[in-house]
Amino acid sequence: MQVAIESKPSIDLIDVLAQIRRRVIAVATAGWPELGSIADSLFANPLSPFALLPICTSQAASGPLAPAVRAAAALLLIEQGMRIVDDCADGSAAGAVHSRLGVGRAMNLAMAFQTLGVRELESLPIVPRRRSAIRTDAFRSMLEICHGQDLDLQAGARSLAEYQVVVERKSVAAYEWVATVGAMIGTDSPALLARCARCGGELGWMAQILNDIAAVWFPKPGEEQEFTKPGFPVLLGLHLDHPRARALAQLLRDGPLDRRQLCALLDELQVRPRLLTMALDHRDRALAALAPELDGEAPRDNGPSGLLRRVPLRPQGRQILTLCLDWLLHDGIRLLGS
């Protein structure tokens, strides 16, 4: 694990988060007024700093701020649509839209959010070739995420390897896409786009690990008794060469699961510190991917003359990402507690 020391970025991130949220509400309201009111109730105020991911990669790739704000708003609308569908499919109830408005209306709202998000990406004020590239990547990425969701909705992963395939197609693909959209606003460089996509992918692994830890040890109010498909904690525990792994397997076979007994077994297997170490390693690799020069050397692309040219990333992108990750992990010690 590494500790990154970054200077303060030159843009006001609190104001940028407010701009993104205002754009989300404005785009939803343009769909129809009540949709704007629903969006206002669904999106946190202030937004999570992770809404800044496309800002990070756009700044790293020398992109202008205004289109990146609109892209971030578009991606949040698309994500909200996917989240509503996911909640309907999983039967999640605590705070879910369908628990208040019904499944039919929730699914209709999900389609509206996704439609508006895609339309917003289509209208970004950037050069046409980059807007076309964003469109092509959006279709590819959304299908990949839907494929991962379909795998997740089936019987469920039976091994750590199977679950990693689901996570890669669903969560990792989503974060790669968000990071790439931001980068595409500022650059056509394949080398820089690959670096930003790698950053997003590492964040996708990190986020899924942290979410899975929270789902087992820190369930949402009203979901304390629920335990559905196993994620990283259970599948890693089963994967370990440890005598108590057999007791975990027996507990899963016996069902229904007692959460306290499950957590106690996983703690005996030291699953939480293992997973948190993995998550922090992914964090470090995400930050390294946005380093101005990787291993002391900037990536190279073919220039107009056909000669290789250096194309370093700007440090501002990693500065913003460092602040976001510091916020996310500021109480990370809680994840290791009881």
Side-chain angles (χ1 to χ4, degrees):
M1 294 182 289
Q2 304 168 348
V3 177
I5 300 176
E6 306 285 349
S7 59
K8 184 178 178 181
S10 60
I11 60 176
D12 184 341
L13 299 181
I14 295 175
D15 181 62
V16 172
L17 283 172
Q19 289 181 49
I20 294 170
R21 192 179 188 278
R22 285 196 297 270
R23 186 64 189 178
V24 166
I25 306 307
V27 171
T29 302
W32 66 88
E34 190 179 2
L35 188 60
S37 298
I38 293 171
D40 194 21
S41 71
L42 291 178
F43 288 90
N45 189 13
L47 295 170
S48 162
F50 253 154
L52 294 169
L53 178 53
I55 307 296
C56 296
T57 52
S58 176
Q59 288 292 300
S62 302
L65 181 59
V69 166
R70 290 184 57 174
L75 291 163
L76 285 177
L77 285 163
I78 294 169
E79 181 206 16
Q80 184 62 246
M82 290 181 170
R83 188 179 300 279
I84 292 171
V85 173
D86 192 29
D87 286 345
C88 288
D90 287 346
S92 303
V97 175
H98 71 269
S99 67
R100 295 183 285 114
L101 302 179
V103 172
R105 193 173 176 205
M107 296 289 281
N108 186 60
L109 294 173
M111 288 190 294
F113 283 137
Q114 290 182 314
T115 300
L116 289 169
V118 172
R119 187 174 72 178
E120 182 73 352
L121 288 178
E122 279 283 306
S123 61
L124 291 179
I126 55 178
V127 295
R129 70 176 184 279
R130 290 181 183 168
R131 193 164 54 242
S132 176
I134 287 175
R135 178 195 312 121
T136 300
D137 195 56
F139 294 145
R140 180 196 61 79
S141 298
M142 291 177 75
L143 282 173
E144 182 77 358
I145 296 165
C146 289
H147 185 188
Q149 175 73 348
D150 188 58
L151 292 174
D152 195 33
L153 288 172
Q154 295 179 47
R158 294 166 294 180
S159 69
L160 185 60
E162 286 185 8
Y163 187 62
Q164 286 170 328
V165 171
V166 174
V167 172
E168 188 164 16
R169 291 189 179 277
K170 184 180 174 183
S171 302
V172 175
Y175 277 80
E176 284 181 346
W177 176 37
V178 170
T180 303
V181 168
M184 284 178 168
I185 290 171
T187 186
D188 302 304
S189 162
L192 294 192
L193 293 176
R195 290 268 299 279
C196 291
R198 190 188 322 158
C199 170
E202 296 290 351
L203 292 175
W205 286 111
M206 182 200 74
Q208 188 64 63
I209 291 169
L210 295 178
N211 287 344
D212 286 0
I213 291 174
V216 172
W217 280 276
F218 306 98
K220 296 176 182 178
E223 296 182 359
E224 293 87 350
Q225 303 305 316
E226 297 179 16
F227 188 84
T228 52
K229 290 174 286 191
F232 272 117
V234 169
L235 295 172
L236 176 63
L238 293 172
H239 183 73
L240 295 174
D241 183 14
H242 190 287
R244 297 299 284 162
R246 290 191 291 274
L248 176 60
Q250 186 62 50
L251 181 65
L252 293 173
R253 285 193 295 268
D254 291 345
L257 288 174
D258 179 281
R259 185 181 292 276
R260 286 181 296 179
Q261 190 177 0
L262 173 65
C263 290
L265 262 176
L266 292 174
D267 283 338
E268 287 185 60
L269 290 164
Q270 291 291 294
V271 165
R272 268 194 284 182
R274 293 174 192 267
L275 285 176
L276 193 55
T277 298
M278 290 166 55
L280 292 175
D281 287 344
H282 285 297
R283 174 205 63 179
D284 292 343
R285 288 194 285 270
L287 289 169
L290 287 194
E293 296 193 5
L294 194 62
D295 296 327
E297 179 64 29
R300 296 176 181 269
D301 282 328
N302 287 325
S305 64
L307 298 176
L308 288 176
R309 59 187 177 89
R310 291 162 58 87
V311 281
L313 290 165
R314 293 173 61 213
Q316 176 123 305
R318 190 167 72 165
Q319 292 166 4
I320 298 170
L321 181 59
T322 299
L323 290 174
C324 294
L325 292 172
D326 286 349
W327 172 85
L328 178 71
L329 296 166
H330 75 280
D331 65 344
I333 193 66
R334 182 176 74 96
L335 297 177
L336 293 172
S338 300

